[in-house]
Amino acid sequence: MVASLAQVLTGHGANILDADQHRNEPAGQFFQRIRFDFSGLLTDRGTLERALHEVAQRFAMDLQLFYQTDVQRVAIFVSQYDHCLYDLLWRHRSGELRCEIPLIISNRPDLAQVAEHMAIPFVVLPITPETKLEQEAKEIELLEREKIDLIVMARYMQILSPGFVQRFRHRIINIHHSFLPAFAGGRPYHQAAERGVKLIGATAHYATETLDEGPIIEQDVIRTTHKDSINDLIRKGRDVERSVLGRAVRWHLEHRVLVHENRTVVFE
Amino acid sequence: MVASLAQVLTGHGANILDADQHRNEPAGQFFQRIRFDFSGLLTDRGTLERALHEVAQRFAMDLQLFYQTDVQRVAIFVSQYDHCLYDLLWRHRSGELRCEIPLIISNRPDLAQVAEHMAIPFVVLPITPETKLEQEAKEIELLEREKIDLIVMARYMQILSPGFVQRFRHRIINIHHSFLPAFAGGRPYHQAAERGVKLIGATAHYATETLDEGPIIEQDVIRTTHKDSINDLIRKGRDVERSVLGRAVRWHLEHRVLVHENRTVVFE
Amino acid sequence: MVASLAQVLTGHGANILDADQHRNEPAGQFFQRIRFDFSGLLTDRGTLERALHEVAQRFAMDLQLFYQTDVQRVAIFVSQYDHCLYDLLWRHRSGELRCEIPLIISNRPDLAQVAEHMAIPFVVLPITPETKLEQEAKEIELLEREKIDLIVMARYMQILSPGFVQRFRHRIINIHHSFLPAFAGGRPYHQAAERGVKLIGATAHYATETLDEGPIIEQDVIRTTHKDSINDLIRKGRDVERSVLGRAVRWHLEHRVLVHENRTVVFE
Amino acid sequence: MVASLAQVLTGHGANILDADQHRNEPAGQFFQRIRFDFSGLLTDRGTLERALHEVAQRFAMDLQLFYQTDVQRVAIFVSQYDHCLYDLLWRHRSGELRCEIPLIISNRPDLAQVAEHMAIPFVVLPITPETKLEQEAKEIELLEREKIDLIVMARYMQILSPGFVQRFRHRIINIHHSFLPAFAGGRPYHQAAERGVKLIGATAHYATETLDEGPIIEQDVIRTTHKDSINDLIRKGRDVERSVLGRAVRWHLEHRVLVHENRTVVFE
């Protein structure tokens, strides 16, 4: 497979810039990410694409082709917490995140001013158990109108309905806190403080129907001590959440994350 | 309290070398560790002790006094894995762990040679469900004969009975792997690999009747990637387990760990 | 000393909330930070202060008293890079940094819009070798008019003159990148890439006359690999710089940093 | 190149298990590590080798072929410190390091007993400025007699002569402590304590004629605080040194480290 794809690419005049492979033992699935420059193409884009798809078919490969000129469009979902939103917007401004951000959706009005400063449309769609599906329908309409490729739940404090999640399979990134050991139930920082954990962490993952159990993209932790009040834990949690989410979004935008079953291969 | 204790100590000619305090908000318990030099004592040890206990009683304090000349005696429990045992023995040799290690107990004969090399008595007490209590009775006899202060479960693959644990309350340190998220059931490294976790960790804690749920002393993690095979995860797990256990044991031996309810204060 | 101070405080009805001590062996200097609540004072603030200063004098202690109601005033110095500025402003907004930020000074106009968004006065004072002292005089005038307590050099790309630094001794915090090994000369990220370092770091320190050699407040590193381009190194450097600077500024504002000779004691 | 090599391998019936590539921008050197299984070879080993070398020659590639059945032979050089030696021997026992260790050379007798326990020949060759070259000649004789592939300086406190180093180019791994900032001169831990550094680190690198400046294989750091005495710093240094050295040696033995000019590509 490696040889065939490389041959097709070089045969058409494309220049392989980077290639990463991974074989998932013992199951034996094979994953590959190739970044190539086709400015010196001997044929044309259509011919190359057909040739690549022909190889893919021959080996029963799942092939995805992305062009760097096709800038992805990202919608950010938020509620009242601003740390992840701020961080994503700053990373976007700084050029770290190659994307457009034409839409911020929130179930609350709190962060309107942040969006306004960045001149990004901010749509408030409050959600109650009764209005959830109706409001989600409006969200979907907005997302489709804006041709959104990726949804980032930047501490969006609502659970998406299964139908919503399925529609954007592997295109919704969520961030949540993680503890060793894990705590069930509400107020996890309070539980963590009571249990005296020495680390708190965050996990970025693709949203699936099962809350917080989708394929993990990135994780990290930060040390805590007995001196940390609940507020200190929350503060430390913010720092680790925003940096983990930032990396996960960047890797996704650079097509570095391949999903297979419930796990990811991240060609970092 | 701080003032009263300090006054008693200095009044008797003791010299405070280190003092750490912690107030556990909002409950308001107060924790303090004072290390003092009493070589220039104006009175005598007995008088000082009585005066300290008098202050403790006045404030309903729980007071513990340790003398650095009283070297603690440690028993190590092992099974077939040698990484934690090796590491503890090396740290002991290097002077990191101020203690004596007069006894290694195992339910298997595998590591007899390691003990022999270090000239430490190695007692094999195999355990079956039927013989558990009987064998534990023998262990207790050995531990008492050797005046053991601390038991370190260095990957001892047996669950101690509630009676055994209660007898050595806050004097048994256990190490176990930790994952984000946690995995129930057996073969956790296999589960972690299937779930594609990006971190694996270890937790050192005091053993309690509830398996793996005692007060946490120390935790740490190590990064993993999709490239890590199960063997790689196990190797990384070994590294993080032994360093976490080494710190927990050192802190305990230096009386840096105070336990309150189900959490610890570690005056690191 | 510990006993005397504690006695004076409790004798006047103040309630000690936190106390940290450190003895600097072998030199033997003693450092202490006490946080107390004086809402139940039996005397008055003036009497307590006089009593504390009396104890300080008796033991030749260097005493500093701060009231939490006296909110410190911070000026941020910037040039063209926005990552540290953005991060400080977000931390300020989020309540992490208890201070006022009434002034941003820059030698360039680039970041005016960021300041404007936060409604903070932004003063541009371009610097050339010829105008340096003259412009610094204007800066000092502004800083004094605004009663600035702390200057944060948030990637300010100018070297302050010795006179300026001396005027704000231990009240200027600077951030710079750090490498293992260190690289002399310009373009350190390029040098780091050529040398293939596996870690890049950042150091926050008080500015002294000797560039980048003042007392270190905080340091951290981030892993790099051969895959990281110079742009990747710069991106990673931004992340570690802003988090290290954020911690250093917070600790300073909470009076957790004591300086002795060329090192700090950080009562974290 | 990628295509040609892959084609030759698959054409001869070899099965590519892993492949890593790296292009060193902007210089444009290309690095590749391919691990393949040739149990199903259609031709024979000699034919495959000739075909691979032919491709290498065509593209002016530098090709190295290793067989997993060819177990490398490692000599460890030590002086008085045992932490790195102990750790390497334990990792070897545990199966982490696929190699034979038929020789330990020391300039001091201190660690003879450790070697004896592991039944590894231990040769003491004391070194003075006058005897250095003469003793190194004896070392070389021993190394050649034992067909040593890799020398690990596990805290060997002697500087190797340029002639010795050149003879084993990229086959000597050294470990040394690293600080931010770096300290020139002796007693670096004392200097680090005086400067109040917040991190201490270790660097594993290939030895070159210029002391401590060879290509870096791995680095890591550990946090320190003002509470750490010089002994604490040395203890922490030991922990980071041994884990960094362990990783570097493992990567080298698995042929994961490619050296180009003064930097490494580590296909971790």
Side-chain angles (χ1 to χ4, degrees):
Chain A
M1 278 182 289
V2 174
S4 308
L5 274 178
Q7 233 180 309
V8 167
L9 285 167
T10 53
H12 285 71
N15 187 15
I16 295 176
L17 298 174
D18 272 323
D20 281 288
Q21 289 94 26
H22 174 63
R23 183 187 298 265
N24 185 13
E25 301 294 358
Q29 292 93 4
F30 185 77
F31 303 86
Q32 186 170 31
R33 176 183 182 264
I34 302 179
R35 197 165 64 90
F36 59 89
D37 174 8
F38 63 102
S39 59
L41 216 56
L42 303 171
T43 59
D44 60 41
R45 212 162 119 166
T47 311
L48 176 63
E49 286 192 13
R50 274 189 302 278
L52 289 171
H53 280 291
E54 192 274 322
V55 174
Q57 208 166 356
R58 189 166 6 124
F59 291 103
M61 253 188 271
D62 181 12
L63 175 76
Q64 288 185 291
L65 264 172
F66 302 101
Y67 293 95
Q68 213 169 335
T69 46
D70 295 349
V71 176
Q72 287 173 78
R73 294 171 67 79
V74 175
I76 303 179
F77 278 46
V78 295
S79 294
Q80 70 272 42
Y81 303 119
D82 69 354
H83 57 288
C84 286
L85 175 63
Y86 244 88
D87 203 62
L88 289 170
L89 295 180
W90 168 73
R91 288 186 197 278
H92 183 240
R93 265 175 65 103
S94 76
E96 275 188 28
L97 303 179
R98 266 196 96 256
C99 63
E100 286 165 8
I101 304 179
L103 181 61
I104 298 174
I105 287 178
S106 181
N107 61 323
R108 302 170 51 129
D110 312 48
L111 305 181
Q113 202 207 343
V114 178
E116 192 189 347
H117 166 56
M118 297 290 192
I120 301 173
F122 183 86
V123 180
V124 180
L125 288 165
I127 301 222
T128 63
E130 294 72 35
T131 63
K132 192 187 194 85
L133 290 181
E134 181 191 336
Q135 296 291 70
E136 283 193 350
K138 285 189 200 154
E139 288 169 4
I140 290 169
E141 204 191 305
L142 281 166
L143 295 166
E144 297 199 331
R145 194 199 304 153
E146 289 293 345
K147 299 185 185 2
I148 295 300
D149 298 292
L150 175 69
I151 296 164
V152 180
M153 296 173 73
R155 301 289 284 137
Y156 179 61
M157 307 305 280
Q158 290 289 323
I159 295 169
L160 302 174
S161 72
F164 189 105
V165 170
Q166 279 153 20
R167 193 171 199 120
F168 298 95
R169 192 173 144 78
H170 300 162
R171 294 197 292 136
I172 306 172
I173 295 178
N174 187 27
I175 181 79
H176 68 83
H177 35 60
S178 301
F179 300 94
L180 299 162
F183 300 107
R187 310 218 310 166
Y189 283 104
H190 289 74
Q191 288 191 63
E194 269 160 41
R195 187 73 168 74
V197 299
K198 306 302 181 190
L199 297 173
I200 59 172
T203 297
H205 63 98
Y206 289 112
T208 53
E209 292 83 340
T210 322
L211 181 67
D212 293 350
E213 301 226 328
I216 296 170
I217 307 170
E218 173 64 332
Q219 300 184 296
D220 209 348
V221 294
I222 197 167
R223 284 190 80 79
T224 61
T225 78
H226 62 270
K227 291 188 214 170
D228 287 316
S229 66
I230 286 163
N231 280 338
D232 291 327
L233 295 183
I234 291 171
R235 171 176 53 73
K236 289 185 170 181
R238 282 197 301 256
D239 264 15
V240 70
E241 281 169 11
R242 64 184 192 150
S243 62
V244 165
L245 182 61
R247 288 199 290 277
V249 170
R250 182 164 53 79
W251 291 338
H252 178 95
L253 290 174
E254 295 174 359
H255 305 294
R256 294 181 182 279
V257 189
L258 307 187
V259 184
H260 179 70
E261 287 167 4
N262 202 32
R263 50 180 291 184
T264 62
V265 168
V266 180
F267 288 126
E268 200 184 325
Chain B
M1 278 183 289
V2 174
S4 308
L5 274 178
Q7 233 180 308
V8 166
L9 285 166
T10 53
H12 285 70
N15 187 17
I16 295 175
L17 299 173
D18 271 325
D20 281 289
Q21 287 92 28
H22 175 63
R23 183 186 299 266
N24 185 12
E25 301 295 356
Q29 293 94 4
F30 185 78
F31 303 86
Q32 186 170 28
R33 176 183 183 264
I34 302 178
R35 196 165 64 90
F36 58 90
D37 175 7
F38 62 103
S39 59
L41 215 56
L42 303 171
T43 59
D44 60 42
R45 211 160 120 166
T47 311
L48 176 63
E49 286 192 11
R50 275 188 302 277
L52 289 170
H53 280 291
E54 192 276 322
V55 174
Q57 210 167 356
R58 189 163 10 121
F59 290 103
M61 252 188 271
D62 181 13
L63 175 76
Q64 288 184 290
L65 266 172
F66 301 101
Y67 294 94
Q68 214 170 334
T69 44
D70 296 348
V71 175
Q72 288 173 77
R73 293 170 68 78
V74 175
I76 303 179
F77 277 48
V78 295
S79 292
Q80 70 273 40
Y81 303 119
D82 70 355
H83 56 288
C84 287
L85 175 63
Y86 244 89
D87 203 60
L88 289 170
L89 295 179
W90 167 73
R91 287 186 197 278
H92 182 239
R93 264 174 67 103
S94 76
E96 274 188 28
L97 303 179
R98 265 196 96 254
C99 64
E100 286 166 8
I101 304 178
L103 180 63
I104 300 174
I105 287 177
S106 181
N107 61 324
R108 302 170 50 130
D110 311 49
L111 305 181
Q113 202 207 343
V114 179
E116 191 189 347
H117 165 56
M118 295 292 189
I120 300 175
F122 183 84
V123 179
V124 180
L125 289 165
I127 302 223
T128 64
E130 293 72 35
T131 63
K132 191 185 195 85
L133 290 181
E134 180 191 336
Q135 295 293 68
E136 282 192 351
K138 283 188 200 156
E139 287 168 7
I140 290 170
E141 202 189 307
L142 280 166
L143 296 166
E144 296 200 331
R145 193 201 302 155
E146 289 293 346
K147 298 185 185 1
I148 294 301
D149 297 292
L150 175 70
I151 295 164
V152 181
M153 295 173 73
R155 300 290 283 136
Y156 179 61
M157 308 305 279
Q158 289 289 322
I159 294 169
L160 301 174
S161 71
F164 189 104
V165 170
Q166 279 153 20
R167 193 171 199 122
F168 298 94
R169 191 173 145 78
H170 300 164
R171 296 197 292 137
I172 306 172
I173 296 178
N174 187 28
I175 181 79
H176 68 83
H177 35 59
S178 301
F179 299 93
L180 298 162
F183 299 108
R187 310 218 309 167
Y189 283 105
H190 288 75
Q191 288 192 63
E194 269 160 40
R195 187 73 169 74
V197 298
K198 306 302 181 190
L199 297 173
I200 59 170
T203 297
H205 64 96
Y206 289 112
T208 53
E209 292 82 341
T210 323
L211 182 66
D212 292 349
E213 300 226 329
I216 296 170
I217 307 170
E218 173 64 334
Q219 300 184 296
D220 209 349
V221 295
I222 199 167
R223 284 190 80 80
T224 61
T225 78
H226 62 269
K227 291 188 214 170
D228 287 315
S229 67
I230 286 163
N231 280 338
D232 291 328
L233 295 183
I234 291 171
R235 171 176 52 73
K236 288 184 171 183
R238 282 197 302 255
D239 264 14
V240 72
E241 282 169 11
R242 64 184 192 151
S243 61
V244 165
L245 182 61
R247 287 200 291 278
V249 170
R250 182 163 54 78
W251 291 339
H252 178 95
L253 290 175
E254 296 175 358
H255 305 293
R256 294 179 181 280
V257 189
L258 307 188
V259 183
H260 180 71
E261 286 167 4
N262 202 30
R263 49 180 294 186
T264 62
V265 168
V266 181
F267 289 126
E268 200 184 324
Chain C
M1 278 183 288
V2 173
S4 309
L5 275 178
Q7 233 180 308
V8 167
L9 285 166
T10 54
H12 285 71
N15 186 16
I16 296 175
L17 299 172
D18 271 324
D20 280 290
Q21 289 92 28
H22 175 63
R23 184 187 298 269
N24 184 13
E25 302 293 357
Q29 292 94 4
F30 185 78
F31 304 86
Q32 186 171 28
R33 176 183 183 264
I34 302 178
R35 195 165 65 90
F36 59 91
D37 174 7
F38 63 103
S39 59
L41 215 56
L42 303 172
T43 58
D44 61 40
R45 209 161 121 168
T47 311
L48 177 63
E49 286 193 12
R50 275 189 303 276
L52 288 171
H53 279 291
E54 193 274 323
V55 174
Q57 208 167 356
R58 188 160 13 118
F59 291 103
M61 253 188 270
D62 182 12
L63 175 76
Q64 288 185 292
L65 266 171
F66 302 100
Y67 293 94
Q68 215 170 333
T69 46
D70 296 349
V71 175
Q72 289 175 76
R73 293 171 67 79
V74 174
I76 302 179
F77 278 48
V78 295
S79 293
Q80 69 272 41
Y81 303 119
D82 70 355
H83 56 288
C84 286
L85 175 63
Y86 245 89
D87 202 62
L88 289 170
L89 295 179
W90 168 73
R91 289 185 195 278
H92 182 240
R93 265 174 67 102
S94 76
E96 276 189 27
L97 304 178
R98 266 197 93 256
C99 65
E100 287 166 6
I101 305 179
L103 180 62
I104 299 173
I105 289 177
S106 181
N107 61 323
R108 303 171 51 132
D110 312 48
L111 305 181
Q113 202 207 341
V114 179
E116 193 189 347
H117 166 56
M118 297 290 191
I120 300 173
F122 184 84
V123 180
V124 179
L125 288 165
I127 302 225
T128 63
E130 293 73 35
T131 64
K132 191 187 196 86
L133 290 180
E134 182 191 333
Q135 295 292 70
E136 283 192 350
K138 283 188 201 155
E139 290 168 4
I140 290 169
E141 205 190 304
L142 281 166
L143 295 167
E144 298 200 329
R145 194 202 302 155
E146 290 292 347
K147 299 188 184 359
I148 294 300
D149 297 292
L150 175 69
I151 296 164
V152 180
M153 296 173 71
R155 300 289 285 140
Y156 180 60
M157 307 305 279
Q158 289 289 322
I159 295 169
L160 301 173
S161 72
F164 189 104
V165 171
Q166 279 153 19
R167 191 171 200 121
F168 298 94
R169 190 173 145 79
H170 301 163
R171 295 198 291 138
I172 307 172
I173 295 178
N174 186 28
I175 181 79
H176 68 82
H177 35 58
S178 301
F179 300 94
L180 296 161
F183 300 108
R187 310 218 309 166
Y189 283 105
H190 288 75
Q191 288 191 63
E194 269 160 40
R195 187 73 168 75
V197 298
K198 306 302 181 191
L199 297 172
I200 61 171
T203 297
H205 63 97
Y206 289 113
T208 52
E209 293 84 339
T210 322
L211 181 66
D212 292 351
E213 301 225 329
I216 295 168
I217 306 170
E218 173 62 335
Q219 300 185 295
D220 210 348
V221 294
I222 199 167
R223 284 191 80 81
T224 60
T225 78
H226 62 268
K227 292 188 213 168
D228 287 315
S229 67
I230 286 162
N231 280 339
D232 292 327
L233 295 183
I234 291 171
R235 172 176 53 74
K236 290 185 169 182
R238 281 197 302 254
D239 264 13
V240 70
E241 282 169 10
R242 64 182 193 152
S243 62
V244 165
L245 183 61
R247 288 198 292 276
V249 170
R250 182 164 53 81
W251 292 338
H252 178 94
L253 291 174
E254 296 175 359
H255 306 293
R256 294 180 181 280
V257 188
L258 306 188
V259 184
H260 179 70
E261 288 170 1
N262 202 31
R263 53 180 288 185
T264 62
V265 168
V266 180
F267 289 125
E268 203 184 323
Chain D
M1 278 182 290
V2 173
S4 308
L5 275 177
Q7 234 179 308
V8 167
L9 285 166
T10 52
H12 285 71
N15 186 16
I16 296 177
L17 299 174
D18 271 324
D20 281 289
Q21 288 92 27
H22 174 64
R23 183 186 300 266
N24 185 11
E25 302 294 356
Q29 293 94 4
F30 185 78
F31 304 86
Q32 187 171 27
R33 174 182 183 266
I34 302 178
R35 196 164 66 89
F36 58 90
D37 174 9
F38 62 103
S39 59
L41 215 56
L42 303 171
T43 58
D44 60 42
R45 209 162 122 166
T47 312
L48 176 63
E49 286 192 14
R50 274 188 304 277
L52 289 170
H53 280 291
E54 192 276 321
V55 174
Q57 208 167 358
R58 188 162 12 117
F59 291 103
M61 252 188 270
D62 181 12
L63 174 77
Q64 288 185 292
L65 266 171
F66 302 100
Y67 294 94
Q68 215 170 332
T69 45
D70 296 347
V71 176
Q72 288 175 76
R73 295 171 65 80
V74 175
I76 303 179
F77 278 47
V78 294
S79 293
Q80 69 272 42
Y81 303 119
D82 69 355
H83 56 288
C84 286
L85 175 62
Y86 244 88
D87 203 61
L88 289 170
L89 294 181
W90 167 73
R91 288 185 195 279
H92 182 241
R93 264 175 66 102
S94 76
E96 277 189 27
L97 304 179
R98 265 196 96 256
C99 64
E100 286 167 7
I101 305 180
L103 180 63
I104 300 174
I105 288 177
S106 180
N107 61 325
R108 301 170 52 130
D110 310 49
L111 304 182
Q113 203 209 340
V114 179
E116 193 189 346
H117 166 57
M118 296 290 191
I120 300 174
F122 183 85
V123 179
V124 181
L125 288 165
I127 302 226
T128 63
E130 293 73 35
T131 64
K132 190 185 195 88
L133 291 181
E134 183 192 335
Q135 296 292 71
E136 283 191 350
K138 285 187 198 154
E139 288 167 7
I140 291 169
E141 204 190 305
L142 281 165
L143 295 166
E144 298 200 328
R145 195 202 300 156
E146 289 293 345
K147 298 188 184 0
I148 295 300
D149 297 291
L150 174 69
I151 295 164
V152 180
M153 295 172 73
R155 300 291 283 141
Y156 180 61
M157 307 304 280
Q158 289 290 323
I159 295 168
L160 302 173
S161 71
F164 189 104
V165 170
Q166 279 153 20
R167 191 169 201 124
F168 297 94
R169 191 173 146 78
H170 300 164
R171 296 197 290 137
I172 306 173
I173 295 178
N174 187 27
I175 181 78
H176 68 84
H177 35 59
S178 301
F179 300 93
L180 297 162
F183 300 108
R187 310 218 309 168
Y189 283 104
H190 288 74
Q191 288 191 64
E194 270 160 39
R195 188 72 169 74
V197 297
K198 306 301 181 192
L199 296 173
I200 59 172
T203 297
H205 63 97
Y206 289 112
T208 52
E209 293 84 340
T210 321
L211 181 65
D212 293 348
E213 301 224 329
I216 296 169
I217 306 170
E218 173 62 334
Q219 299 185 297
D220 208 347
V221 294
I222 198 167
R223 284 191 81 80
T224 61
T225 78
H226 62 269
K227 290 188 215 170
D228 287 317
S229 65
I230 286 162
N231 280 339
D232 291 326
L233 295 183
I234 291 171
R235 170 175 54 74
K236 289 184 170 183
R238 281 197 302 255
D239 263 14
V240 70
E241 282 169 11
R242 65 182 192 153
S243 61
V244 166
L245 182 60
R247 289 199 290 278
V249 170
R250 181 164 53 82
W251 291 339
H252 179 95
L253 290 175
E254 295 174 359
H255 304 293
R256 295 181 181 280
V257 189
L258 307 188
V259 184
H260 179 70
E261 287 169 1
N262 201 32
R263 51 179 291 184
T264 62
V265 168
V266 179
F267 289 125
E268 200 185 324

